[in-house]
Amino acid sequence: MTKYAPLLSAAAFAALGFFDSGALAQESEGEAVEEGVEEVVVWGDAHGSREAGYASPISVLTQEDFAAINVATTEDVVKYEPSIVIRRRFIGDSNGTMGIRGSNMFQTSRSMVFADGVPLHYLLQSRWSGAPRWTMVSASEIARAEVIYGPFSAEYGGNAMGGVVVIESAIPQKREFHFDSSLYNQDFAAYGFDDTVSGYKTFLSYGDKLGDLSLYLSYNHLENAAQPQSYFYGAGVSSSGPVPVTGAVTGKDSRGNPQLWFGDSGVEDTATDNYKVKLAYNFDDWSALLNVAYEDRGTVADARNSYLRDSNGNRVWSGTVEQGGQVFAVPASRMGVSELERDSLSVGLRLRGDLSERSRLEFNINEFQVLRDETRSSGRNPRDPAYTPDGQVNDYGDTGWQTADAKLTVDGVLLPGVTLVSGLRYEAYELNLDVYRSSHWRAGSQDSYSSRSGGETGLAAAFVQAGWDINEQWNLTAGLRYEDWQSDKGYYSDDDPATPAFDIVQAPSQSRSEASPKLSIGYLPSRDWNFRYSIARAYRFPIVEELFSQYQAYNSINEANPDLLPEDGLHQNLMVERLTERGSVRVNLFTETIDNGIESQSTVLPGGASIRTFIPVDEVETDGIEFIANVYGFADGKLDMRFNLAWTDSVTVRNAADPTLEGMRSVRMPEWRGNLMLDYQLRDNWDLGANLQYASDSFGRTDNTDTEDNVYGAQDGYTRLGLKSTYDLENGIALGLGVDNLTDEIAYVAHPWPGRTWYFNLSYDY
């Protein structure tokens, strides 16, 4: 721990006894026990911090906890939980990446998301392309969510270095119909853009129970316009005869250098349709759940803005220009437009049942296919006088994954109080990306290859974990996970113009095996206190993009690195928990040491283009403290509160590739994060909620030179206040009004966070 840890931990421990009066209203993990709440049936296992098999810090959310959140999409449900950041730049963003604890928001393969046992995490790509497929699950169908911190359970591999989000949806127990619709409105102003953008969501679901069969059908349509996500400045050049212009916005970049900003990416229009079928069937002591989800997603980014005007008042879209004596280039491709079409299909099957009074068996099978993922881009803006239909097409083919696992749980093994969990898991991933030159980008013509890359990875794992209730005060959990990983069929292009064929390089294959031990010791001196120390080794193997992705697009070049080794992490957590009569207070002290951390490192070239590759960072150390207070039933039982504050210190200790980076803070890792959710029951049918989200400044560059605040490209701190009110009318109708970012704070996480956003909600239940 760093020198500040003792001071912070002492302050946190002093607060443990703060909330300690009134009637018991809530279990420590947040499961509702209030009388009169209708039972919600889910098929997932609930965890408890006092159980012997508990090895990881866990935060649990039920439907009652969602009341203070303006929930538009699934990631909204968990974005206020401790040590979590979700980079959702606008409602409907397909790049809603998640970071947990010492894993930043672009280290997407260090966190996992499951919904009804089906993976939503995208372990094929990283950074913005590796965001979980949140929209494969509609927020309106969620019954419960758990956040499991760190890789302390042998049930999860190294992709749980940050943590795991486990979502469970409700299973219909009777005939039901649900409808909800939301309108969104955002005012946004930055650089040369000042406008209002809006959108809406419509969700329909039907459920029924016919004997032993439960049926659930749903349709979710989300359509929204986003504020501009990128802003462009020109690279200085020496040229004779530049075109005189006006309109460029004077400002600074994230490193404090003065720049002339000449345009932005304009409003993006996104539309997503999600179709879901769930069939649940009970027979004897067994149950089966079939989960089929289809997503159709489209994005149109055809409204790029040029701020520049020539002497005749015409917009300037490309070329070499001059303003105020400064000559700079406007690359034509920066103002190009694009369209995305993506279709995805996920099929999952969960089967579980009792083998005997003391043993249970569970199977999960999933297949995820990218049916179509095509991005068509123009080489110039259609309003550019030099425009032609030439462009580029990015096409993902034969991309997706298959997973299967089996888990056996046996109680009372060898000794009373011992529960043994063992299992097997198999994962196979494939990604293929072809980039084409196109003579007609809008039609999607694929005339010749510009680059090609792809490959496969596979993982076979076995684990065993035993939880032992030694006595009323002590318990022990020990586990071991063995993983056998391989990469295969990797390739990338290295074309020789002198040969007639497009040349492909076959990348070398790899295979590695690792064993990850886990240990957790719990001490419960009384019913009110709970102490637990956990330690775990975890290995996170490279994903397909990190190994094989190599391409050259208009503004970026990516180099493959097929020889990457797995990340090697040692994780520790000390938890102190105090149960009170109104909830719980918890402190977690955690430390992580990651060797061979796979980091995307890039260099910006003149004109704004970048070249990047995945290079291992030899050692990164992260220390942190979380203070969490979940307290229920204030003010005559009407006020509930969830509060958390996290301090994190993450530093590069060794980096042979560039020793000058040693001692630098890890990128996109704020030192402080905090969240507050308040829910007040004004009347039986009227609910008032408030939420507050805080983060301190961080860095986006590994050399920590990006210190300028409130500019495009910065990693700003922010304080965002939200309000929400829901009023239940008779006959199943409810009205809601909410706002996020009430103070309209404009901050950047490289791209701009949303401005003040208003929500209007209408729902109906039958």
Side-chain angles (χ1 to χ4, degrees):
M1 291 287 177
T2 67
K3 63 182 180 180
Y4 300 107
L7 177 62
L8 289 170
S9 59
F13 274 91
L16 286 173
F18 181 73
F19 305 101
D20 195 14
S21 62
L24 183 63
Q26 198 86 358
E27 295 291 337
S28 95
E29 303 303 334
E31 293 286 2
V33 295
E34 299 174 20
E35 295 183 1
V37 175
E38 181 180 353
E39 179 185 11
V40 176
V41 177
V42 298
W43 282 31
D45 295 326
H47 297 82
S49 64
R50 306 173 76 80
E51 299 173 4
Y54 168 91
S56 305
I58 295 177
S59 182
V60 177
L61 288 153
T62 65
Q63 288 182 332
E64 289 74 24
D65 296 313
F66 307 159
I69 307 172
N70 290 303
V71 177
T73 51
T74 296
E75 59 265 48
D76 286 326
V77 170
V78 296
K79 71 180 182 181
Y80 295 101
E81 292 308 282
S83 291
I84 284 185
V85 59
I86 295 179
R87 190 203 73 147
R88 194 191 68 181
R89 302 166 301 166
F90 56 89
I91 296 171
D93 187 7
S94 63
N95 302 144
T97 58
M98 177 174 66
I100 305 179
R101 284 194 167 179
S103 300
N104 70 50
M105 65 184 73
F106 271 6
Q107 292 168 321
T108 55
S109 50
R110 289 193 192 171
S111 58
M112 308 175 79
V113 183
F114 293 91
D116 295 322
V118 175
L120 300 184
H121 45 264
Y122 197 73
L123 300 183
L124 287 167
Q125 295 178 273
S126 68
R127 294 164 60 91
W128 55 82
S129 298
R133 296 301 178 98
W134 299 106
T135 50
M136 298 300 286
V137 172
S138 301
S140 300
E141 65 179 296
I142 297 174
R144 188 182 71 219
E146 295 181 359
V147 182
I148 304 172
Y149 291 88
F152 299 107
S153 171
E155 293 188 40
Y156 301 105
N159 297 111
M161 278 184 171
V164 183
V165 174
V166 179
I167 296 169
E168 297 290 344
S169 64
I171 304 300
Q173 300 301 299
K174 59 183 179 180
R175 182 170 298 174
E176 58 186 39
F177 171 79
H178 175 80
F179 164 83
D180 65 68
S181 186
S182 302
L183 301 176
Y184 316 118
N185 186 273
Q186 177 197 169
D187 293 324
F188 189 85
Y191 296 97
F193 181 89
D194 187 354
D195 205 348
T196 298
V197 292
S198 59
Y200 69 95
K201 183 192 84 166
T202 299
F203 176 83
L204 293 165
S205 69
Y206 170 80
D208 205 352
K209 186 171 177 62
L210 307 171
D212 293 328
L213 176 68
S214 292
L215 168 68
Y216 180 86
L217 306 172
S218 70
Y219 167 70
N220 189 69
H221 177 78
L222 173 63
E223 193 167 325
N224 191 42
Q227 75 277 14
Q229 292 302 301
S230 297
Y231 298 85
F232 313 126
Y233 62 81
V237 295
S238 57
S239 174
S240 60
V243 176
V245 296
T246 57
V249 177
T250 302
K252 295 181 179 180
D253 62 21
S254 62
R255 303 174 74 182
N257 301 312
Q259 303 291 353
L260 287 175
W261 300 83
F262 64 76
D264 62 58
S265 58
V267 172
E268 289 187 18
D269 293 305
T270 63
T272 305
D273 291 293
N274 179 271
Y275 304 85
K276 174 73 69 72
V277 177
K278 289 187 292 189
L279 296 173
Y281 188 73
N282 296 308
F283 51 99
D284 297 329
D285 295 327
W286 288 78
S287 58
L289 176 62
L290 176 66
N291 197 316
V292 181
Y294 170 76
E295 178 192 74
D296 180 11
R297 181 181 184 87
T299 300
V300 177
D302 63 354
R304 302 233 179 203
N305 296 313
S306 173
Y307 307 154
L308 306 180
R309 301 288 192 279
D310 62 18
S311 57
N312 295 319
N314 300 314
R315 288 184 186 269
V316 176
W317 297 97
S318 61
T320 303
V321 299
E322 179 270 330
Q323 177 174 308
Q326 184 172 342
V327 179
F328 59 96
V330 179
S333 62
R334 291 303 254 177
M335 305 308 290
V337 299
S338 66
E339 297 177 357
L340 163 70
E341 292 185 64
R342 187 178 79 189
D343 298 325
S344 304
L345 177 68
S346 175
V347 180
L349 175 65
R350 175 187 285 180
L351 179 67
R352 59 169 47 171
D354 296 333
L355 298 177
S356 67
E357 292 184 356
R358 297 191 299 117
S359 60
R360 299 171 298 282
L361 189 61
E362 178 179 329
F363 298 94
N364 285 282
I365 302 172
N366 171 245
E367 179 164 2
F368 180 91
Q369 292 184 357
V370 175
L371 304 177
R372 175 179 61 170
D373 191 335
E374 183 180 89
T375 301
R376 302 179 293 273
S377 307
S378 68
R380 290 178 177 269
N381 193 283
R383 290 175 284 180
D384 190 332
Y387 169 78
T388 69
D390 293 342
Q392 178 176 284
V393 176
N394 289 20
D395 188 12
Y396 289 90
D398 294 325
T399 293
W401 65 74
Q402 300 85 39
T403 66
D405 64 56
K407 182 173 69 173
L408 174 66
T409 304
V410 183
D411 298 325
V413 177
L414 298 178
L415 293 171
V418 175
T419 297
L420 185 70
V421 182
S422 60
L424 302 171
R425 183 168 178 83
Y426 173 76
E427 304 174 1
Y429 300 92
E430 181 177 5
L431 181 142
N432 297 279
L433 172 61
D434 295 331
V435 181
Y436 297 91
R437 301 178 186 92
S438 177
S439 60
H440 201 298
W441 71 272
R442 195 178 295 275
S445 67
Q446 301 176 353
D447 301 320
S448 62
Y449 289 116
S450 174
S451 65
R452 302 183 67 192
S453 62
E456 299 178 10
T457 62
L459 180 72
F463 75 90
V464 60
Q465 182 164 287
W468 181 20
D469 282 315
I470 302 172
N471 54 41
E472 291 185 357
Q473 292 184 321
W474 290 92
N475 60 60
L476 174 70
T477 301
L480 181 68
R481 186 177 183 89
Y482 175 81
E483 295 170 307
D484 185 71
W485 171 87
Q486 65 177 6
S487 65
D488 195 19
K489 300 181 181 178
Y491 66 93
Y492 51 87
S493 53
D494 188 13
D495 189 40
D496 182 355
T499 62
F502 189 78
D503 299 304
I504 296 293
V505 175
Q506 299 299 323
S509 300
Q510 279 199 74
S511 62
R512 299 188 66 87
S513 299
E514 301 289 355
S516 308
K518 323 281 184 177
L519 180 67
S520 182
I521 301 172
Y523 174 59
L524 292 77
S526 68
R527 71 177 298 272
D528 297 329
W529 286 92
N530 185 8
F531 297 80
R532 180 169 293 278
Y533 170 72
S534 301
I535 184 171
R537 174 74 67 182
Y539 294 91
R540 203 279 289 179
F541 295 96
I543 60 175
V544 177
E545 183 193 44
E546 294 167 338
L547 294 165
F548 307 128
S549 179
Q550 180 153 313
Y551 61 84
Q552 181 170 350
Y554 286 131
N555 296 297
S556 63
I557 302 170
N558 195 85
E559 296 288 339
N561 191 351
D563 298 321
L564 286 170
L565 298 176
E567 298 181 325
D568 179 357
L570 179 64
H571 301 253
Q572 301 178 69
N573 191 93
L574 175 62
M575 183 196 77
V576 180
E577 181 185 56
R578 174 75 189 279
L579 299 184
T580 76
E581 293 186 350
R582 293 198 184 278
S584 67
V585 181
R586 178 183 294 178
V587 173
N588 287 309
L589 287 78
F590 64 89
T591 181
E592 306 172 2
T593 301
I594 309 292
D595 295 334
N596 299 319
I598 301 172
E599 184 72 44
S600 175
Q601 302 190 41
S602 62
T603 299
V604 178
L605 304 176
S610 65
I611 181 170
R612 69 182 178 95
T613 189
F614 293 95
I615 300 175
V617 177
D618 295 282
E619 182 179 341
V620 175
E621 290 187 358
T622 302
D623 298 324
I625 300 175
E626 297 164 346
F627 174 74
I628 306 158
N630 297 330
V631 187
Y632 304 86
F634 281 120
D636 296 326
K638 295 182 178 181
L639 179 64
D640 298 336
M641 180 191 77
R642 293 176 68 92
F643 170 77
N644 58 76
L645 181 65
W647 172 83
T648 308
D649 181 43
S650 186
V651 177
T652 299
V653 177
R654 291 186 294 113
N655 187 30
D658 186 355
T660 64
L661 302 181
E662 295 176 359
M664 299 295 177
R665 289 189 60 86
S666 298
V667 296
R668 298 174 181 260
M669 290 292 295
E671 186 175 10
W672 291 96
R673 294 175 184 158
N675 299 282
L676 173 66
M677 291 192 296
L678 297 172
D679 181 55
Y680 184 74
Q681 200 71 31
L682 187 63
R683 297 178 184 172
D684 290 342
N685 63 337
W686 192 358
D687 191 82
L688 301 177
N691 54 71
L692 183 68
Q693 195 171 35
Y694 169 79
S696 59
D697 286 349
S698 58
F699 297 100
R701 294 178 55 90
T702 53
D703 59 9
N704 291 181
T705 57
D706 51 329
T707 57
E708 192 72 21
D709 291 330
N710 299 116
V711 297
Y712 174 73
Q715 298 290 325
D716 288 331
Y718 52 84
T719 303
R720 301 172 69 84
L721 174 64
L723 302 173
K724 180 184 178 183
S725 178
T726 303
Y727 188 82
D728 289 328
L729 303 172
E730 296 181 357
N731 301 322
I733 298 175
L735 301 176
L737 180 65
V739 60
D740 280 343
N741 191 15
L742 180 64
T743 61
D744 199 25
E745 177 184 66
I746 300 300
Y748 295 85
V749 54
H751 304 279
W753 290 108
R756 183 189 296 115
T757 305
W758 292 94
Y759 299 74
F760 176 74
N761 309 304
L762 169 67
S763 66
Y764 173 72
D765 286 283
Y766 173 76

